[in-house]
Amino acid sequence: MESASSLAAQARGYAKAARTLEDDNEKARARELYLKAAKFYNEASLVTTDKTDRNTQRDLAEHLLDKAQSLKRSGTRYSGSGVKEESGDTDESALSEDDLIMKHTPNIGFSDIGGLETVKDDIRKAIIYPFTHTELYKLYGQKAGEGILLHGPPGCGKTMMAKAAAKECGADFISVKTSSIVSKWVGASEKNIKKVFETARRCEKAIIFFDEIDSIAGRRSEAEDYAKRVVNELLAQMDGVDTADDKLLILAATNEPWAIDPALRRPGRFSKLVYIPEPDRDARDTIFKINLKKRPIANDVDAGRLAKITESYSGADIAAICKEAADIPLGEALRGGEPRKIEMKDFVTVLESRKPSIRSWYAEAKKEIRKSGEEDVFGEVFK
């Protein structure tokens, strides 16, 4: 995933180019670039950790969407409630397939993910075996195609697990850019959802993956009208999935499962909630080995010892630790020193200042789950 600063920089570039085109009276092209700029600001707001930056980027995204709307060609109409809608045969408000979807076959499998064997078994039964053992599922009257919602603390492998599932069953992996789904224009968000499922149905077999699904599938009781319509369309599309014909399965991931509309967690939709915990000791050992494999490591570096002293660290934390440890001898070499291998002391130095990033998530998760009254649903968080 790109950083917030990189996404914001791309947004500024598109916005600057749009202003130039607008001054030259090339309004159609300017509007297209304003939409791209808004999309990148919106994506930046989803990945930044700074609350002030997040609010600023959201405001900029809304401002640029308004700019794009003001440049829309004539020929609009109004709904009975006075909301401006698209008209004509072309739908400029709906995004293209490339804007919504990243389609590919992943190169990462279960063997590349340390630990989480119970989680892998759950995914095999719900996602992989319906593709690889179709006749057995029919024989025992087991309905395939019910979605899986992966949830748990950030940085613990939910996205990697989804990609690995697609590779294990040889399916196209359709990763949905959820930040691009929602549009301010009436009806466009629902069309974007529909386009995702239409794309998947054209594949021989596919897994649709909604990352950060809470951004488009929040509780309707707390949502604005446009957000309710998005959830309703998602429910309708999921209810229409029949893997006997479609060869289509659905995965989603979230750090905030309590925020998901309960209707999406009923049987036939995201029927199974799979908790992805922080990595255990064996998993941490594997993650360290994977991240150190292509780096020059001194003989005193012991992945097992590192795994022992990094309890409560996420997989993303461990990847960052390895990168920062490598930065130490790299920095020395850049300052004119003799290049050397990464030593255990470098990891100790990093760990003195880097604490587990997911502790705050547990505190917030417990508070929100108690508020929702669903302790029995998300009990794993309290263990």
Side-chain angles (χ1 to χ4, degrees):
M1 179 182 290
E2 290 188 75
S3 66
S5 59
S6 173
L7 290 165
Q10 292 180 71
R12 287 193 294 271
Y14 279 121
K16 182 178 180 181
R19 285 192 292 271
T20 300
L21 288 167
E22 187 180 2
D23 291 341
D24 293 339
N25 211 31
E26 295 185 36
K27 293 185 178 180
R29 179 60 178 154
R31 178 175 179 272
E32 181 183 337
L33 295 187
Y34 276 133
L35 285 172
K36 285 184 178 291
K39 178 171 76 77
F40 279 112
Y41 271 129
N42 191 38
E43 289 181 358
S45 75
L46 295 173
V47 300
T48 185
T49 57
D50 186 280
K51 186 175 181 180
T52 302
D53 284 349
R54 184 182 304 119
N55 291 334
T56 299
Q57 287 154 355
R58 285 176 179 168
D59 288 343
L60 286 168
E62 287 204 11
H63 171 70
L64 292 170
L65 280 170
D66 288 339
K67 288 281 290 181
Q69 175 75 333
S70 70
L71 292 175
K72 189 171 58 170
R73 290 198 294 266
S74 60
T76 57
R77 59 185 173 87
Y78 290 81
S79 67
S81 60
V83 178
K84 207 172 189 181
E85 299 184 28
E86 295 292 331
S87 66
D89 295 329
T90 61
D91 184 1
E92 295 180 40
S93 62
L95 296 175
S96 69
E97 187 175 306
D98 288 341
D99 286 325
L100 288 168
I101 298 165
M102 292 181 288
K103 177 181 168 185
H104 64 286
T105 302
N107 58 5
I108 180 173
F110 283 160
S111 61
D112 301 303
I113 299 175
L116 300 174
E117 296 306 321
T118 301
V119 174
K120 292 174 186 176
D121 284 342
D122 283 339
I123 291 177
R124 286 188 182 100
K125 291 173 186 174
I127 294 290
I128 296 170
Y129 293 158
F131 277 148
T132 58
H133 297 74
T134 306
E135 295 305 318
L136 278 176
Y137 270 69
K138 288 181 179 178
L139 176 64
Y140 288 99
Q142 294 294 86
K143 183 181 183 299
E146 297 181 348
I148 285 185
L149 179 64
L150 306 175
H151 69 98
C156 291
K158 294 185 288 295
T159 301
M160 285 181 65
M161 193 66 73
K163 290 181 178 179
K167 183 186 178 184
E168 294 289 329
C169 59
D172 284 323
F173 183 71
I174 297 179
S175 180
V176 182
K177 305 172 189 176
T178 49
S179 60
S180 298
I181 289 288
V182 178
S183 170
K184 293 180 71 174
W185 291 291
V186 174
S189 301
E190 299 93 293
K191 289 178 182 177
N192 288 337
I193 292 284
K194 185 178 180 182
K195 187 176 291 183
V196 168
F197 281 82
E198 287 175 345
T199 300
R201 289 185 173 105
R202 290 197 298 270
C203 299
E204 182 179 347
K205 53 183 175 179
I207 288 178
I208 299 177
F209 177 59
F210 293 94
D211 201 1
E212 297 181 347
I213 194 172
D214 48 283
S215 65
I216 62 168
R219 292 173 181 264
R220 285 172 291 178
S221 60
E222 303 170 4
E224 296 181 27
D225 285 345
Y226 77 89
K228 292 177 183 178
R229 291 195 300 271
V230 172
V231 176
N232 289 338
E233 181 63 29
L234 188 56
L235 288 169
Q237 290 294 334
M238 291 186 72
D239 286 345
V241 170
D242 179 359
T243 54
D245 299 318
D246 291 340
K247 290 286 187 179
L248 167 62
L249 297 171
I250 304 165
L251 271 172
T254 179
N255 300 330
E256 301 179 6
W258 54 86
I260 304 296
D261 192 278
L264 279 165
R265 296 190 258 117
R266 290 176 186 161
R269 292 153 184 174
F270 289 115
S271 303
K272 191 167 186 63
L273 276 64
V274 177
Y275 179 62
I276 309 290
E278 62 195 66
D280 59 21
R281 184 169 172 178
D282 288 342
R284 294 195 301 274
D285 180 88
T286 301
I287 295 168
F288 269 111
K289 288 175 179 174
I290 289 170
N291 280 277
L292 297 177
K293 187 162 41 176
K294 295 183 180 180
R295 291 184 164 111
I297 304 299
N299 290 333
D300 69 335
V301 175
D302 182 350
R305 183 183 163 200
L306 288 169
K308 183 178 180 180
I309 61 177
T310 50
E311 186 175 356
S312 298
Y313 284 78
S314 70
D317 287 337
I318 292 171
I321 289 167
C322 293
K323 180 181 181 302
E324 291 174 22
D327 280 340
I328 295 174
L330 172 62
E332 293 171 0
L334 290 172
R335 291 190 295 272
E338 187 70 24
R340 64 172 177 84
K341 294 183 177 180
I342 307 167
E343 300 173 8
M344 196 67 181
K345 66 179 182 181
D346 299 317
F347 290 95
V348 172
T349 298
V350 171
L351 287 168
E352 285 174 353
S353 59
R354 175 175 278 279
K355 303 306 176 187
S357 65
I358 57 178
R359 286 176 178 168
S360 60
W361 179 87
Y362 278 107
E364 179 70 13
K366 290 174 183 178
K367 182 180 77 172
E368 293 296 331
I369 292 169
R370 288 192 179 103
K371 188 193 299 184
S372 71
E374 294 187 297
E375 292 94 333
D376 57 331
V377 178
F378 305 113
E380 303 97 329
V381 174
F382 296 89
K383 292 178 181 178

